[in-house]
Amino acid sequence: SIEKYCRGFSGVTVAIPSRDMARLCERGWRELYGTRLTVKLYEEVEGKGMVQHMEVMSRADDFVPVGTDYVLHHDSDGIFNVPTTPEDLFRNDKPVYLYRTWESLTDKTGVVSDCAQWRQPTDAQLGFASEIYSMCVNTQMLPIEFYKLYRSLLAHVHGPDLLAYFLAGKNSFPQDRMDFTAMGAFAHKYMHGAFSWFDVESGAPHPPDRKRAYWSHGGLNPEIRA
């Protein structure tokens, strides 16, 4: 979908467990994508793939090419379905961040969205009460400076061994380690001026998602495959 719809990006970096490299080579990725795709390997701890990937995301600046200014995170269960350029993801020369309040996820009758369950683990990970729910999309542009600052906060809250912190988490759904919700809440509190913020609940226009989003825990059915 990136090959089909995305233009203007400097390249694609995919981080995968080392043990999966042989399978990737069998599929002939070099013949398909060549130098346009950079594969970075890491040693995945058995049975901890979900929570460990969140630690890998927090180190995106270690994986992308030197000189990268912005990183566009894109989950592997999303599919671009409209023409997309970097400019689509910026407003006023700043990356777009879509958000809503945590309170908007519940009402007097109870839960409006099951995403409300991520509030407590997000706050526990960050060490402060987050003000926003920021996973309205999971295709997010972040400046390269973000990652060091984000890791510094996590290290202050949980100690310097961040891999150990993430690996100690619950690997099955619902996880108690966070990626997009924590990253967005951190950005909102500590890097607010670096982004253009859009409250999706306000009724005002906001930039649309550029993809179809799916949910890996639900599996791959014939309708999704089609």
Side-chain angles (χ1 to χ4, degrees):
S1 70
I2 293 172
E3 184 82 0
K4 182 174 182 178
Y5 287 112
C6 296
R7 300 292 183 269
F9 296 89
S10 62
V12 180
T13 299
V14 181
I16 67 169
S18 298
R19 64 170 178 264
D20 292 336
M21 188 62 185
R23 185 169 61 176
L24 194 65
C25 290
E26 288 172 2
R27 297 181 178 182
W29 70 273
R30 292 187 186 278
E31 290 73 21
L32 287 173
Y33 300 108
T35 58
R36 292 168 293 173
L37 179 65
T38 300
V39 175
K40 292 288 187 176
L41 306 178
Y42 64 95
E43 298 305 317
E44 183 178 273
V45 177
E46 189 66 34
K48 288 291 183 176
M50 179 64 177
V51 288
Q52 188 176 356
H53 103 270
M54 298 175 183
E55 188 271 341
V56 170
M57 285 177 67
S58 77
R59 293 189 294 113
D61 51 341
D62 292 338
F63 288 85
V64 297
V66 174
T68 298
D69 293 319
Y70 292 91
V71 178
L72 178 64
H73 286 272
H74 178 59
D75 269 4
S76 55
D77 50 6
I79 300 176
F80 285 98
N81 65 343
V82 294
T84 301
T85 69
E87 288 76 14
D88 294 317
L89 303 160
F90 283 77
R91 295 294 185 275
N92 300 318
D93 294 325
K94 298 178 181 180
V96 164
Y97 230 126
L98 307 185
Y99 73 97
R100 57 192 291 172
T101 64
W102 287 109
E103 289 73 21
S104 72
L105 300 176
T106 59
D107 62 18
K108 294 179 180 179
T109 65
V111 174
V112 174
S113 167
D114 67 356
C115 293
Q117 69 186 305
W118 306 128
R119 185 173 194 171
Q120 187 280 328
T122 296
D123 293 354
Q125 181 162 314
L126 294 173
F128 64 81
S130 56
E131 296 182 358
I132 62 163
Y133 170 75
S134 59
M135 197 177 172
C136 297
V137 297
N138 60 4
T139 303
Q140 184 59 52
M141 185 79 76
L142 295 172
I144 199 71
E145 297 83 10
F146 168 91
Y147 303 96
K148 185 176 181 179
L149 297 172
Y150 176 60
R151 292 195 303 271
S152 293
L153 174 77
L154 296 184
H156 175 74
V157 176
H158 303 287
D161 192 343
L162 293 183
L163 178 58
Y165 163 72
F166 281 99
L167 293 180
K170 178 174 173 282
N171 197 68
S172 58
F173 180 84
Q175 285 77 24
D176 56 6
R177 299 295 186 265
M178 299 289 104
D179 46 19
F180 286 103
T181 61
M183 294 161 76
F186 172 87
H188 188 263
K189 184 176 178 68
Y190 291 109
M191 298 183 67
H192 196 275
F195 298 90
S196 291
W197 297 90
F198 291 85
D199 181 353
V200 301
E201 293 297 302
S202 69
H206 59 78
D209 201 355
R210 314 300 300 181
K211 66 180 189 321
R212 289 284 299 275
Y214 296 94
W215 191 55
S216 294
H217 293 286
L220 182 63
N221 60 34
E223 181 183 0
I224 293 174
R225 187 180 294 277

